[in-house]
Amino acid sequence: MEPQMDIPALQNFVAREFPQLGDDFTIEALTDAGVRVRLNVGERHLRPGGTVSGPAMFALADVGMYLAILARLGPVALAVTTNCAIDFMRKPAAEADMICDTKLLKLGRVLAVGDALLYSVGQDAPVARASLTYSIPPK
Amino acid sequence: MEPQMDIPALQNFVAREFPQLGDDFTIEALTDAGVRVRLNVGERHLRPGGTVSGPAMFALADVGMYLAILARLGPVALAVTTNCAIDFMRKPAAEADMICDTKLLKLGRVLAVGDALLYSVGQDAPVARASLTYSIPPK
Amino acid sequence: MEPQMDIPALQNFVAREFPQLGDDFTIEALTDAGVRVRLNVGERHLRPGGTVSGPAMFALADVGMYLAILARLGPVALAVTTNCAIDFMRKPAAEADMICDTKLLKLGRVLAVGDALLYSVGQDAPVARASLTYSIPPK
Amino acid sequence: MEPQMDIPALQNFVAREFPQLGDDFTIEALTDAGVRVRLNVGERHLRPGGTVSGPAMFALADVGMYLAILARLGPVALAVTTNCAIDFMRKPAAEADMICDTKLLKLGRVLAVGDALLYSVGQDAPVARASLTYSIPPK
């Protein structure tokens, strides 16, 4: 399914609707299957040792999948996360930004499902993987 | 398995090791099976409409299970979250604190597994449920 | 939410609609929150060493939650499993039957969510835990 | 990590160690990242309407990931499934075989993690996705 919104439209939508997210996330690419989002890592995302916290990685995967759905449904949509299964596989690189690649596997009338892979910038092996389900509200 | 640390010892450990968490969490009870932890909801935990964000709920479940393990293994332990499956079932009450009840189901040599239920203070039905796995480092 | 069907009605429904399940499952109890179901362990459920296989445990959790929903929605319902997160925590006892306790946490208009704990008969500690989501079709 | 076993060696290992699986599964391909396995669908895998059952799909994902690990660790390994999160996204095609593509994301000293996508033969859109974790026993 082709995107209905481009990167500036998505970035504006997030800034307007989720002001709490501030400048945490930058959309880097928008593909037929999903989006690539960067977590601009700051002090508030870190744990002792300088590694990105679990909740910050969860937020990155969640925002990445939300944007992949939003791009396809358009700005009227208000998809709600209903489920996330996340595996933390490796320690993130200290103080490095993180990249999340999301891929929509289903965009149904009621539910959307997708996969996310999370990387520390500069490392090849993924730090975490997640799958997420969203409930799509009736029009 | 009986707790090796009491509530003040746990609260001090968290304050010292995870200063980034600030005053977000209060340990309310410590049982044979787990802990009860409160998320002291502040502006930074909220989404538009005043509801607690997904990442804040993930953090609450994660802290709750971490503390349940820590209490039993003692302050030398450094368990690491390897997996979380979380279901968001209902909208949290606007601006209400949240309570998380965790229950350890397995505390093995290598892995610990447990369940968490999350409530908005003042509501009976749970807002979210989570199961979490931690890797226990070798001594 | 109170059950709309009793144990014989549930057992008959399963026998009629899912003849492939044969005599694998026996409903042992029906409560306000869920059901207790027994897996009558036979050769086809076992792996080398006589322990119950992962797919047989998955089937037990799935049937347990399906019945908990069915009991409440009545025999017209055709809920479909959309997600399952299952943790295998301990080795099942060799050739012992297994018991599954399910608990509905949400029975919404569109989605139902619940938790399951699986035991080997004669062992106190749970062998597996699962959480499951079902999609409820529109009437 | 390169495979240590080829397809005939894997197929023989499974036939010897898991005789209960019979001829259910055929290994179709072995790649650097994982394996492709076919479920040879028979009456015992079906639900009313001729669609493959959830437990049969779970078994397919589980076997696929087990083989991906086994191929890399060699026949001494006895990895044990500790977690599976599976999403059922679409109805399988009636009576069609299923194909599972697995991809190892981590093969650590203690844990292995991977993703699986399941397809009905002849359909482009995936029927299910799964992520699985295995515990690797000490040598």
Side-chain angles (χ1 to χ4, degrees), chain A residues 89 105-106 115 129, chain D residues 89-90 105-106 115 129:
Chain A
M89 302 186 290
L105 297 171
K106 175 184 171 153
D115 273 338
R129 64 145 303 285
Chain D
M89 302 186 291
R90 296 179 180 86
L105 297 171
K106 174 183 172 153
D115 274 337
R129 65 145 301 286

Side-chain angles (χ1 to χ4, degrees), chain B residues 64-100:
Chain B
M65 198 64 69
Y66 181 84
L67 289 169
I69 297 169
L70 183 68
R72 277 148 197 87
L73 293 186
V76 297
L78 252 162
V80 175
T81 313
T82 57
N83 172 267
C84 175
I86 187 164
D87 293 281
F88 300 101
M89 301 186 291
R90 296 178 181 87
K91 210 174 167 170
E95 298 176 36
D97 281 357
M98 293 196 75
I99 297 290
C100 173

